[in-house]
Amino acid sequence: MRDSTTARSPERGAALGASPAAAPEAARAPRSLRLGLAEYEPTWRAMQRFTDARDASTPDEIWMLEHPPVYTLGMAARREHVLAPGDIPVIATDRGGQVTYHGPGQLVIYPLLDLRRLELGVRDLVTALERTVIDYAAELGVDARAKREAPGVYVEGRKLASVGLRIRRGASYHGLALNVDMDLEPFTRIDPCGYAGLEMTQLAALVGPLTVAQAMRGIEPHLLRALRLD
């Protein structure tokens, strides 16, 4: 079963992308926002504005949401990896990595973190996001693993979750996409993450029916623990 929230721009929900309020005591506890189904580009621009407006006292935030169908290209992406997009829009972004697909039924997590304050390097953050999925999958009885040479989380060679980040002014945005219960067919129209023939999987195929809302609730403690923010 998939959530059926109407797609929206994040500015019509919480006032994302506005100048973040200063709250030094909140630096240790990120604000978690659940944004429902949000259009990709307005969300991306809101992350950029948040990052550009933040200062040393700005609380970190974690945005959890779904996107309507969209292909996104990382800065290193090659257009030939987009094989047959059809009517699904293709957006070039400022994150790392190659091409991927977002759609309803996929949990997207954007950690907007001051990495200098948290004393985290980029590799530390990638590892924490992968560990989050691995630990949550283990709780559900799934043996998932990371690959150093190909960021993300895999189950028996099939990709369960993708990671793509941007670091600007010492802070992170973009993040993690976990396949929960979605239509995986659009992945066959690209070379996911630049790998021809890479197969995808999702939690619903591994553990049975699961909603994105349930995944949000279940994964958040693992995310905070992996980031040492619990």
Side-chain angles (χ1 to χ4, degrees), residues 1-229:
M1 180 181 297
R2 302 187 183 104
D3 296 340
S4 58
T5 311
T6 302
R8 59 183 173 80
S9 163
E11 285 83 358
R12 291 210 292 261
L16 305 183
S19 296
E25 72 280 0
R28 295 182 301 275
R31 181 182 178 213
S32 181
L33 301 178
R34 298 182 181 183
L35 303 177
L37 187 66
E39 294 287 345
Y40 182 84
E41 186 154 6
T43 305
W44 166 33
R45 299 304 183 189
M47 288 191 289
Q48 289 179 320
R49 288 192 294 275
F50 180 93
T51 301
D52 288 342
R54 68 181 306 158
D55 61 27
S57 63
T58 301
D60 292 326
E61 294 192 352
I62 295 171
W63 299 358
M64 297 189 178
L65 60 143
E66 298 172 78
H67 288 305
V70 63
Y71 294 114
T72 67
L73 302 174
M75 291 185 294
R78 292 157 51 187
R79 284 275 177 173
E80 57 262 38
H81 290 305
V82 182
L83 307 176
D87 59 357
I88 298 176
V90 180
I91 298 177
T93 78
D94 61 349
R95 64 165 172 79
Q98 289 281 340
V99 61
T100 195
Y101 169 72
H102 299 301
Q106 181 188 70
L107 171 57
V108 179
I109 300 176
Y110 292 136
L112 280 69
L113 308 175
D114 185 332
L115 298 185
R116 289 176 293 201
R117 184 169 63 208
L118 295 174
E119 299 182 342
L120 289 175
V122 179
R123 184 66 237 179
D124 297 325
L125 179 54
V126 171
T127 298
L129 294 175
E130 293 172 335
R131 173 52 54 191
T132 295
V133 175
I134 290 168
D135 289 349
Y136 178 52
E139 180 182 294
L140 298 176
V142 175
D143 181 18
R145 300 174 184 237
K147 294 182 181 180
R148 179 94 184 177
E149 70 279 11
V153 179
Y154 301 80
V155 178
E156 297 182 347
R158 295 179 175 87
K159 196 161 195 179
L160 176 64
S162 302
V163 176
L165 296 166
R166 176 65 189 266
I167 310 301
R168 190 155 79 188
R169 302 176 66 241
S172 65
Y173 59 103
H174 294 294
L176 169 73
L178 170 63
N179 303 332
V180 178
D181 185 4
M182 63 188 299
D183 180 5
L184 296 178
E185 186 276 334
F187 282 107
T188 68
R189 302 194 226 163
I190 60 173
D191 294 332
C193 306
Y195 292 96
L198 177 62
E199 293 185 43
M200 309 298 289
T201 190
Q202 57 185 329
L203 289 175
L206 300 168
V207 303
L210 187 71
T211 67
V212 168
Q214 288 172 323
M216 282 185 191
R217 291 191 297 271
I219 204 169
E220 188 169 11
H222 295 286
L223 176 61
L224 296 177
R225 190 175 306 115
L227 292 170
R228 305 194 300 272
L229 293 171

